[in-house]
């Protein structure tokens, strides 16, 4: 099989972790007789520097003509500390999501046995936990109009907008995931306050009869934030809007022990994008210390979801688990015996060669 992959390494640690993911894709493709073909595009602060645009047209074309996109990270502190910056690197990510129509972001909470002691939660609470958050990604307060400032500059506003068809499109996906898992869906909203949340709730209620096997819970987001740390095992599939999903998925990620471990998939109308959920970690850029596992596990998700290569995806997952089991890990997971980013990538690639 030929795999046309767009590579968008982006900022900070993006390039070095993406390089490890490529190593791993190459290893598994080599083993199974597939041919990956990569084309690289600029995104984020590096794209602003080189082209003035955080998501240049050329990059968009590369994405549109690829089967799938592997994305690194975005963000640069030089822009963060400048509230007046006209162009923000993050805009590149938001533009990409919107232009590629990536309406659903799938973020798993994963727990790994060898890492249970790294979780900020007690072992007995976190052991066996594992759920998926399906986050709406192209609507809500991230994109709603009007947004901006009043003329005198003293008032700022953002608008949250959702349409029923937009809600139902992603809800179908969430129900489908639930039927493949434990038939349990939790709709997280703020229906006691927000009109958009009430439309979400109403729309999901209408859909319940189409999925009689799935039991649906409705939970306010403040309560959900609490229940996720109190009892993460109670969740199977969480469905939520853009901003709540942004917040809850960082909370969920840290339960696994390190933000450096969690991959994600964004699916859309035109293509799909796979990316670590962590940011660009600028302090570590170029130092060969960042954890490449989220990028490598994103590659595994890509093999499975974008190309249907389930076996190949499983090999990559097993290889990543082997690195954890054998302690070939970066310093976020083991400050004393830490290995470099590329060392972990090499270990995983050669584990696959031997498998
Ligand atoms: C994420 C990030 C982005 C978001 C930022 C970088 C715009 O936090 O992917 O979760 O808020 O969606
Ligand atoms: Mg986020």
């Amino acid at each position: 099989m030929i795999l046309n992959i767009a590579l968008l390494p982006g900022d900070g640690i993006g390039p070095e972790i993406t390089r490890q993911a490529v190593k791993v894709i190459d290893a598994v493709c080599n083993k199974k007789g597939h041919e990956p073909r990569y084309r690289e595009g600029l995104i984020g602060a590096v794209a602003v520097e080189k082209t003035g645009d955080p998501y240049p047209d050329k990059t968009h074309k590369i994405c549109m003509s690829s089967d799938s996109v592997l994305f690194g990270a975005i963000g640069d502190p030089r822009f963060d500390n400048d509230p007046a910056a006209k162009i923000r690197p993050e805009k590149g990510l938001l533009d990409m999501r919107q232009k590629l129509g990536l309406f659903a972001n799938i973020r798993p909470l994963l727990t790994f046995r060898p890492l249970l002691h790294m979780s900020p939660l007690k072992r007995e609470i976190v052991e066996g936990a594992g759920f998926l958050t399906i986050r709406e990604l192209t609507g809500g307060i991230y994109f709603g109009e009007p947004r901006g400032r009043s003329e005198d500059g003293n008032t700022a506003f953002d608008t949250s907008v959702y349409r029923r068809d937009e809600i139902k499109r992603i809800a179908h996906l969430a129900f489908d995931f639930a039927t493949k898992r434990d038939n349990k869906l939790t709709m997280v909203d703020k229906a006691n306050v927000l009109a958009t949340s009430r439309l979400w709730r109403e729309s999901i209620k209408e859909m319940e009869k189409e999925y009689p096997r799935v039991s649906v819970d409705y939970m306010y987001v403040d309560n959900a934030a609490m229940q996720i740390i109190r009892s993460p095992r109670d969740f199977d599939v969480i469905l939520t809007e853009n901003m709540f999903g942004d917040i809850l998925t960082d909370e969920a990620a840290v339960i696994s022990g390190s933000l450096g471990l969690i991959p994600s998939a964004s699916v859309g109308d035109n293509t799909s994008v796979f990316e670590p959920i962590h940011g660009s970690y600028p302090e570590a850029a170029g130092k060969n210390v960042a954890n490449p596992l989220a990028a490598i596990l994103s590659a595994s998700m890509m093999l499975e979801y974008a190309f249907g290569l389930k076996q190949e995806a499983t090999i990559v997952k097993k290889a990543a688990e082997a690195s954890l089991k054998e302690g070939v890990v970066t310093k976020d997971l083991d400050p004393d015996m830490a290995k470099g980013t590329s060392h972990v990538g090499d270990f995983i690639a050669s584990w696959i060669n031997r498998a």
Side-chain angles (χ1 to χ4, degrees), residues 107 135 246 250:
R107 297 185 171 185
R135 166 188 175 193
D246 178 45
D250 266 27

Side-chain angles (χ1 to χ4, degrees), residues 154-225:
N154 292 329
T155 307
F157 43 91
D158 298 287
T159 310
S160 182
V161 181
Y162 272 111
R163 296 186 322 267
R164 194 184 298 268
D165 60 320
E166 207 176 11
I167 295 169
K168 288 201 168 175
R169 175 174 62 173
I170 187 169
H172 278 298
L173 192 87
F175 273 107
D176 283 342
F177 269 107
T179 53
K180 285 186 211 133
R181 294 171 57 102
D182 293 340
N183 286 308
K184 188 163 187 279
L185 180 64
T186 307
M187 167 74 228
V188 172
D189 61 32
K190 189 74 185 169
N192 48 348
V193 178
L194 302 177
T196 41
S197 284
R198 286 194 281 273
L199 182 60
W200 273 82
R201 226 174 240 228
E202 191 182 298
S203 309
I204 309 309
K205 285 225 157 91
E206 283 167 13
M207 293 170 69
E208 279 187 35
K209 52 187 173 305
E210 293 175 54
Y211 299 89
R213 284 177 36 226
V214 177
S215 74
V216 186
D217 266 349
Y218 296 85
M219 201 180 271
Y220 297 141
V221 62
D222 46 352
N223 184 26

